[in-house]
Amino acid sequence: MSQLYRVNFICNGKTYELYAKQVNQASLFGFIEVGDFVFDARAQLVVDPSEEKLKTEFSGVNRTMVPMHNILRIDEVDKPGKSKIHETSNITPFPSAIYTPKP
């Protein structure tokens, strides 16, 4: 049985929840590599607009690099659920600069 991960991260003020088979530290400093996305195949009769938006946004994408400070949580799960986008108002990401020059 292959590993499956639920990845929650912030992108453009929204919280993304995706399921993927591959999650690694990227070769680019400060990034997490997420690949081999899994979308819920059972929900083909009922169309979820949030999941359809994610399918189109990540169609043709083999892997994506997410900045480490945008990752909220990574869970190893037994089976996939629905991928979705949440509107967030109470989550504040870490400052994006790793190095801040002194004045």
Side-chain angles (χ1 to χ4, degrees), residues 35-73:
D36 202 5
F37 303 106
V38 176
F39 293 102
D40 193 10
R42 299 170 294 171
Q44 290 184 0
L45 296 177
V46 179
V47 177
D48 183 8
S50 178
E51 188 169 33
E52 288 299 316
K53 184 176 178 182
L54 283 169
K55 282 182 185 178
T56 55
E57 183 173 342
F58 289 99
S59 68
V61 176
N62 295 327
R63 58 192 171 134
T64 187
M65 310 296 179
V66 180
M68 192 179 303
H69 60 272
N70 284 13
I71 297 286
L72 297 174
R73 184 175 179 154

Side-chain angles (χ1 to χ4, degrees), residues 10 69-70 72 91-96:
I10 297 173
H69 60 272
N70 284 13
L72 297 174
I91 298 175
T92 305
F94 288 123
S96 61

